[in-house]
Amino acid sequence: MRFHWFLPTTGDGAEVRAAIMTTDSGRSARRPGSVRYLSQVARAAEDAGFEAALTPVGAGCPDPWIVCTAVAQHTERIKMLVAFRPGFALPTLLAQQVRAFQEVSDGRLMLNVVTGGDPVEQRAYGDFLDHDARYARTDEFLEVLRRSFEGVPFDHVGAHYRIEGGGLDAPLAQVPPLYFGGSSPAAVQVAAKHVDVALTWGEPPAAVARKVSALKEAAAARGRDLRVGLRVHVISRDTSAEAWGEADKLLAGMDPARIEAAQRRFARFDSTAQRAMTELHGGDTRDLEISPGLWAGVGLVREGAGTALVGSHDEVAALLREYASVGIEEFILSGWPHLEEAYRIGENVLPRLAPALV
């Protein structure tokens, strides 16, 4: 079991905030996502035993390459799991960015491939491809990126890229692992073909087990081994009652108009994974414990990962073990505020899982 944390680049506080702030634009954060604050969060995660920190990517958040390059200068060990959108830069250029980041961070880069799920946001960037065409482009992008890392000049002619004599001038010394999320058939095939870790969001364990099985079978059919990770929030306290009380406080901070606006935005997504998150609650604030210890309240206002593990420290550790038992090998966790919660989870939950940590 490997554990990672999250950098709230759009700001932080004691409330659930949208990851890329396109719905919550205008809502000021108690703690702005400055380099100074994000470095505090990253150092807390580093000290608490997390291996890496994920950053979001999208129209409403700062560029993760720039932010993570800055934060890396204020940390020592923690890796930066930098999210990027395939197609928004040439894969040959991204290979150069990867080499530069590895050099300035002493090899602490991991990459999170985000194909995109909001057609309106994609078009605002100038990208008019439909869902399956975006994944086809991601497939080709990752093929070119991998070849660029080899340091041998190559030519490529495809549907989206044409390259003559491309690639780095020498093999990349430290190739970063590729993380990737997606639940559609097109996404599963991209994961099976190219990535090291496929990510899924926090659905009930039985549903996650089915996804793990599908991903690993698709990878095995290509002669590859694939790790699967879970992206989920955590509300862990000394007692179960305290933890559920904290979930109630977070829910109380979501006014109905904000929930309605967020749900309208999520309805336009063509993301299979986002649709699954929305169906867990249907915009209804009642009955949000959709599986023992799994709370869907986060997804009322936050895109992407919309569930949280809730309970005492022992209960949360048991839930993490349950997901590990169905094939989850890596966990990207978060909680509000991210500074305090990094310490809380690192000091109270991770030690309970110590025998399983790599």
Side-chain angles (χ1 to χ4, degrees):
M1 299 171 73
R2 299 167 65 179
F3 289 91
H4 315 296
W5 197 241
F6 182 81
L7 289 183
T9 61
T10 59
D12 203 8
E15 66 169 358
V16 176
R17 296 177 59 80
I20 61 174
M21 296 303 292
T22 53
T23 299
D24 283 350
S25 57
R27 291 178 59 85
S28 60
R30 289 286 184 92
R31 304 176 189 179
S34 64
V35 170
R36 181 177 181 276
Y37 179 68
L38 295 174
S39 297
Q40 282 185 282
V41 175
R43 286 195 299 270
E46 186 174 71
D47 292 342
F50 292 97
E51 180 179 342
L54 171 68
T55 51
V57 65
C61 60
D63 179 81
W65 285 99
I66 295 173
V67 171
C68 288
T69 302
V71 172
Q73 306 311 301
H74 299 279
T75 54
E76 296 177 359
R77 301 180 308 280
I78 196 164
K79 298 173 184 176
M80 299 286 113
L81 182 44
V82 178
F84 73 94
R85 293 273 176 89
F88 288 13
L90 292 171
T92 44
L93 173 62
L94 193 105
Q96 289 182 287
Q97 292 178 282
V98 166
R99 179 168 62 184
F101 195 103
Q102 292 290 50
E103 290 172 354
V104 302
S105 71
D106 197 21
R108 289 187 285 138
L109 177 65
M110 298 158 64
L111 292 173
N112 184 36
V113 185
V114 181
T115 298
D118 180 354
V120 174
E121 183 191 36
Q122 295 291 127
R123 291 194 293 270
Y125 274 113
D127 179 21
F128 284 77
L129 295 184
D130 64 22
H131 176 279
D132 285 358
R134 291 199 302 273
Y135 279 99
R137 180 178 60 192
T138 296
D139 182 358
E140 187 178 347
F141 184 103
L142 295 178
E143 178 184 344
V144 173
L145 182 66
R146 290 281 197 189
R147 292 192 69 183
S148 297
F149 290 157
E150 294 172 1
V152 178
F154 68 94
D155 298 338
H156 172 89
V157 178
H160 300 280
Y161 302 103
R162 180 175 178 176
I163 295 153
E164 295 181 359
L168 298 177
D169 57 8
L172 185 65
Q174 295 173 293
V175 176
L178 292 178
Y179 288 64
F180 171 85
S183 296
S184 67
V188 169
Q189 291 306 311
V190 170
K193 184 177 179 181
H194 292 291
V195 308
D196 302 293
V197 182
L199 296 174
T200 188
W201 291 328
E203 296 181 69
V208 170
R210 290 191 292 271
K211 287 190 175 182
V212 170
S213 178
L215 285 160
K216 286 187 173 288
E217 287 177 7
R222 292 180 174 273
R224 300 185 67 244
D225 185 27
L226 181 68
R227 293 171 65 86
V228 184
L230 186 72
R231 172 74 182 101
V232 70
H233 309 283
V234 179
I235 305 173
S236 186
R237 296 294 185 270
D238 290 339
T239 68
S240 181
E242 287 179 87
W244 284 106
E246 192 62 32
D248 289 341
K249 288 180 186 177
L250 292 174
L251 181 61
M254 306 175 196
D255 64 74
R258 184 183 173 211
I259 293 173
E260 183 180 354
Q263 295 305 304
R264 283 198 306 270
R265 177 178 173 243
F266 303 159
R268 77 192 190 201
F269 283 30
D270 59 8
S271 163
T272 301
Q274 181 63 60
R275 184 163 57 250
M277 283 287 99
T278 301
E279 289 173 352
L280 293 176
H281 53 71
D284 194 332
T285 59
R286 300 167 297 176
D287 301 323
L288 291 170
E289 188 178 6
I290 56 171
S291 179
L294 184 64
W295 184 64
V298 174
L300 292 170
V301 296
R302 187 194 192 280
E303 70 279 71
T307 55
L309 305 179
V310 183
S312 68
H313 305 312
D314 284 331
E315 289 169 338
V316 168
L319 288 167
L320 292 168
R321 287 194 197 94
E322 184 176 4
Y323 282 106
S325 74
V326 300
I328 296 296
E329 298 166 90
E330 303 199 19
F331 297 85
I332 303 176
L333 308 179
S334 54
W336 295 272
H338 290 75
L339 177 61
E340 290 89 334
E341 292 304 303
Y343 283 120
R344 190 191 307 275
I345 303 306
E347 293 172 358
N348 296 290
V349 176
L350 297 193
R352 287 168 162 81
L353 300 164
L357 298 181
V358 297

